[in-house]
Each structure stands twice: as structure tokens, then as C-alpha cells.
Amino acid sequence: MNTVEQQEYLIQKYNVPAPRYTSYPTVPYWDKEIPAAAQWMDVVKYTFAESNAAKGISLYIHLPFCEVLCTYCGCNTRITKNHSVEEGYIQAILAEWSLYLQQFSEKPIIRELHLGGGTPTFFKPENLRKLLEGIYEGSILHPEKEFSFEGHPNNTTTAHLETLYDLGFRRVSFGIQDFDPKVQITINRIQPFENVRYVTEEARRIGYDSVNFDLIYGLPYQTLQSVSETIDKVAELMPDRIAFYSYAHVPWVKPGQRSYSDKDLPDNAEKRALYELGLEKFKALGYTDIGMDHFALPEDALYKAWEQKDLHRNFMGYTTFQIDLLIGLGTSSISDAKYAYMQNLKKVETYKEAVLNGELAILKGHFLTQEDLRLKEAILNIACRGELYLDLGLLSMLNDESIDHLKEMHREGIIELESNKLTVTSIGKAFTRNICMVFDLKLRQAVPAEQQIFSKAI
């Protein structure tokens, strides 16, 4: 078959439900029993003692409030225009943080901190200061810290940018998604280009080192022309990083997505063409494809981490270095203590009730086995470095079907197999999630119905 036919064949074959691999095992395959708080804290204390002095720790703070529901969004959000919720939620986060501080044998060294949402800039600048100064109290800020936040172009003010800059933040990510008016109306995310230009230029004027734009392909009513025009507008501002995400259509999980139907979405071939268009245009602008969905300019720290093979991936996405202890604060946040995971309760009220009563708000967790740890390392190497050494220990965990699948991917040009080394090809980058799936024993052992909970890979 010719190149076009081969590409269409691969799209049809590999456009299957697939995890995004911010963890292994992925959340649906964690232990069924809810872990005891004492068990979780024992692992946290062990990992903290093992890594704090050498690497520091990471913090992720989830701020779930949004004034308007963006119907494409798959995040855990609370829609409200009532800003009186800010202070009570801040009180709860600081109460949760104090539970961890009580367990640490020394002051935590905060190396990495990210404010996610929701809409972090829903909060007033003075309340963000109150939150962060409360976090910093009793902590040490690493001299090479990387602090970042997600900002909505419509409500991120100069005061937000200046306040967070004063508090050590040097990276900001703006959710753009698409500039086409019809698409914006459909997904209920209406933001003029001039708003994006303003916050981008303000961030750079103030001194931010890195500005990221989030874009999505596969949204309702997107066409090659509309996506091309969106990227042309992005090119006027040249963000340091671009996240080009595949739209996850999961209306059975997010009812807001039922406001449009499958017939409004690009089909498999059209969606793949949107990705190829983005890839071509980003490369022409000087961006490098550094991993699943992510592009960076050569001057950006994410590119340098990729080039030096220091790139890491966790529940915050790609990061520039590996931190063993990630503490997630706030409703639905996920923590990674290297040997165990834990997710907080998702409902704001039950989360607040637990932590304000001096208890962890545990929804679920997972304690990693030695097999889990080995497979986690393998999947990270594929996702972050595009390569993996297939030693005998790792190969012994794969069955004959998985080995045959790797050989098939080699014949299809998705990976190269040479001297017990797997390397993801330029064609294969778009199928990274599929390659990781070969090493996902939990997923392969699941019944087909359980595998449908994920969005499609392409």
C-alpha cells in the first residue's frame, strides 16, 4: 500500500481507547480498597526522607472554581459566580497542607509548584497571595524552583500576573483551545484574540520566562482551514510551549459534552489530518515535538530537558525534572509518593469537611508492587525519552501476544527494534499512547468493557 493508505490503515487500527499515562497503573486500575490514612502517610514519610534533601518536593494545588462551564472540559470543576467560596476553600487547603507538615521530619523544600483547575485566576490576587504565603510558611523554596499556573485569558489581570510573579512564579499556561468563533460558541469558550494577546504581552513584560498555550484538535466543527487560521494567530504571539491535545469525547463522563454529537466532530481521518497539519505548522515555526501532545522552542526549559533526556511525566503532565514526592492539595488532586498514589475526594463539600476535621480526604489509592514499579519506569521511558531497553526482566513480564505486537509495530514503522532497544520513530510519536499500552499489564488483563472508559488515542 502507498503512504496515504498506510497512514489511514494505522489510524483505523490504533484509534482505540487509550490512557494518557500520567501514571502507571492508571487510575481505573488502582487497588479496590480505600487505603488507610496511616498507610498512605507512612509511604509519604518514607519517600520524603529519601528525597527531600536531594531533590525537594512538588506541590499541585487544584482550584476547581469556574464562572462558566466550558463543555469540552474533562476536569473536575465547580461552576459558580459566588466568589465568597474562595476564603473557605483556601482555609481547607492550608488545613490539608498542615496534615502533611506534621508528618515531615524537616522543612519541605518546594522545588515545583503548579496551580491547576478549574480556573486558578477565578481567585482574587490577594487571596492567591494568602494561599501561597500560607503554603510557604514553614517551607523552604528551592533556589531553582519552577512555579507555574493556569490562567484564563478572559479573567487573568495584570494584578494576577504581578502577584504570582512576586511569589516566585515564572511560567504561565493559557487555555486557548481554538480561535474559530463557531467552535468557541459550541464549546462555550468565547475569548477574543485580543484578550490572549494582552495577557501574553503582559506576562512577558512582567518577566515570565515561559508562556504556554493549550490548543485542542478534534473539537466540534473544526476544519483544516479553521485550525490553520488558529495556528496562524498563535504564530503572532509565539508562545514558548504549545500543548496540542486530542479532544477526549467522553459524554458518558462529562454530560456537558452532550450539547453536541458525534456527527459534529471530525471523523478519524479528519482528526488525524488536523494533527498532521498542526505538526507541520509547528515545526515550520521552529517548535520541536518533545513528547505526547507537547511542542517547545529550543530556548525553553522543556525542550532542554527533552534534549538532555531529563524529561519526566506525572499527574501535572510533562515536567523538566523528576521529583519523587508530589503532594496534591485540594479536591480531586492526586498525589504520587513514588511507591503509592492517592486521590482526594472530588466533591468540594466532603473534601472540606474531612480536612477541616483534621483528616485526609482520601477517595482512592494504590500501593505499587515491584512489577508496577518496573512497568511504570518502562512507560515513562517511552513517553519521555522515546526509547526503552528491553532487558530480560522486562521481557519476562510480557506474554507472547505482546511480543508479537511489538514486532508488528516494528514492521509498521511505528517503532524500531534493534539490539534489545525500542525506539519510537517519527511516525510512531502520534501512537505513543498505543506503544505504552503494550506494557500496561493492568489494561491488558481487563475485560474489553472496562477498557472503553478511556478516550481514543488519536
Side-chain angles (χ1 to χ4, degrees):
M1 64 180 71
N2 61 38
T3 303
V4 173
E5 291 173 335
Q6 171 73 356
Q7 187 179 74
E8 291 178 352
Y9 165 76
L10 293 176
I11 293 168
Q12 291 295 327
K13 179 177 180 178
Y14 289 109
N15 192 28
V16 297
R20 293 185 183 272
Y21 291 110
T22 51
S23 74
Y24 180 82
T26 55
V27 177
Y29 303 119
W30 287 5
D31 298 327
K32 300 302 180 185
E33 294 183 5
I34 299 174
Q39 287 180 288
W40 165 248
M41 279 302 195
D42 283 345
V43 178
V44 169
K45 287 188 286 187
Y46 181 84
T47 308
F48 180 85
E50 192 178 57
S51 61
N52 182 58
K55 298 181 179 180
I57 70 169
S58 293
L59 289 182
Y60 171 78
I61 304 176
H62 190 74
L63 304 175
F65 303 107
C66 298
E67 289 194 345
V68 177
L69 174 66
C70 301
T71 55
Y72 69 88
C73 181
C75 299
N76 182 47
T77 60
R78 171 63 61 88
I79 308 304
T80 181
K81 294 183 183 295
N82 177 14
H83 285 261
S84 66
V85 299
E86 295 180 31
E87 292 193 10
Y89 191 75
I90 289 170
Q91 182 184 3
I93 290 179
L94 294 179
E96 183 183 11
W97 178 232
S98 72
L99 296 176
Y100 284 100
L101 288 176
Q102 293 166 25
Q103 302 295 321
F104 297 155
S105 56
E106 59 187 7
K107 287 185 176 182
I109 302 169
I110 303 177
R111 177 76 184 270
E112 191 175 48
L113 191 156
H114 183 71
L115 303 181
T119 307
T121 47
F122 171 97
F123 284 69
K124 297 174 184 176
E126 55 267 30
N127 282 337
L128 290 174
R129 179 178 291 280
K130 179 179 179 180
L131 166 64
L132 292 162
E133 288 180 344
I135 295 290
Y136 296 170
E137 186 178 353
S139 304
I140 299 171
L141 303 188
H142 196 285
E144 298 178 3
K145 61 187 178 295
E146 286 205 5
F147 291 0
S148 58
F149 73 96
E150 297 168 14
H152 193 313
N154 284 358
N155 68 12
T156 301
T157 64
T158 298
H160 281 111
L161 292 165
E162 289 178 341
T163 297
L164 290 169
Y165 186 87
D166 290 343
L167 290 164
F169 286 72
R170 295 295 181 269
R171 292 202 298 106
V172 57
S173 179
F174 294 119
I176 309 303
Q177 323 320 341
D178 191 283
F179 282 120
D180 183 79
K182 184 176 182 179
V183 175
Q184 288 191 357
I185 291 170
T186 304
I187 64 174
N188 203 34
R189 176 79 175 204
I190 300 170
Q191 55 190 14
F193 175 70
E194 287 309 312
N195 290 4
V196 177
R197 180 192 295 278
Y198 174 79
V199 291
T200 301
E201 292 178 348
E202 277 293 272
R204 287 175 168 155
R205 179 188 65 79
I206 290 166
Y208 282 80
D209 298 330
S210 181
V211 175
N212 175 80
F213 283 2
D214 285 347
L215 304 175
I216 296 180
Y217 66 94
L219 290 169
Y221 303 116
Q222 279 184 329
T223 64
L224 287 171
Q225 181 178 346
S226 72
V227 170
S228 179
E229 290 173 353
T230 286
I231 295 174
D232 287 343
K233 288 183 178 296
V234 169
E236 292 183 38
L237 302 175
M238 288 298 288
D240 305 275
R241 304 177 185 179
I242 294 172
F244 192 46
Y245 293 116
S246 169
Y247 167 63
H249 191 56
V250 286
W252 58 92
V253 178
K254 292 296 178 180
Q257 296 181 353
R258 294 175 183 159
S259 60
Y260 42 85
S261 66
D262 288 1
K263 67 180 178 59
D264 302 318
L265 304 174
D267 63 26
N268 289 345
E270 290 169 338
K271 188 175 181 182
R272 173 65 182 183
L274 295 178
Y275 171 81
E276 291 292 343
L277 172 68
L279 183 65
E280 179 183 347
K281 290 180 77 74
F282 295 144
K283 287 185 175 180
L285 290 169
Y287 293 93
T288 295
D289 181 356
I290 58 93
M292 286 189 284
D293 315 316
H294 284 69
F295 300 81
L297 293 175
E299 299 80 15
D300 191 79
L302 203 64
Y303 172 88
K304 294 174 182 176
W306 170 80
E307 187 177 44
Q308 297 165 6
K309 298 188 183 300
D310 289 333
L311 204 61
H312 183 57
R313 188 168 175 83
N314 58 25
F315 293 108
M316 298 190 294
Y318 280 112
T319 65
T320 54
F321 39 76
Q322 181 174 345
I323 302 295
D324 293 332
L325 179 59
L326 163 63
I327 299 295
L329 302 175
T331 177
S332 77
S333 287
I334 301 179
S335 298
D336 179 351
K338 186 177 180 179
Y339 308 103
Y341 302 126
M342 190 274 281
Q343 183 175 25
N344 282 345
L345 294 167
K346 294 183 178 182
K347 192 174 180 181
V348 172
E349 290 78 11
T350 51
Y351 160 76
K352 287 175 61 178
E353 181 181 6
V355 297
L356 291 175
N357 285 329
E359 301 173 358
L360 290 176
I362 298 177
L363 172 66
K364 62 177 70 174
H366 182 81
F367 294 88
L368 281 75
T369 65
Q370 288 300 312
E371 179 182 83
D372 290 341
L373 289 167
R374 184 65 184 92
L375 293 170
K376 175 184 179 181
E377 180 186 21
I379 288 171
L380 281 173
N381 276 319
I382 294 169
C384 298
R385 281 164 277 285
E387 61 185 27
L388 173 66
Y389 287 96
L390 300 167
D391 59 59
L392 292 177
L394 181 58
L395 289 171
S396 69
M397 297 179 185
L398 305 181
N399 58 22
D400 291 343
E401 182 182 358
S402 296
I403 298 296
D404 290 342
H405 198 174
L406 290 177
K407 292 177 179 177
E408 189 174 5
M409 286 181 161
H410 172 66
R411 291 193 296 271
E412 293 167 336
I414 290 175
I415 61 174
E416 293 178 358
L417 292 174
E418 186 177 4
S419 302
N420 291 328
K421 183 181 178 183
L422 179 158
T423 304
V424 180
T425 66
S426 56
I427 294 173
K429 278 192 174 183
F431 304 99
T432 299
R433 292 164 71 182
N434 304 92
I435 301 168
C436 292
M437 286 173 68
V438 178
F439 299 88
D440 188 340
L441 296 192
K442 303 290 187 186
L443 181 65
R444 289 199 285 105
Q445 292 165 358
V447 298
E450 291 177 332
Q451 298 175 359
Q452 299 300 313
I453 58 179
F454 302 106
S455 62
K456 289 189 175 182
I458 303 168

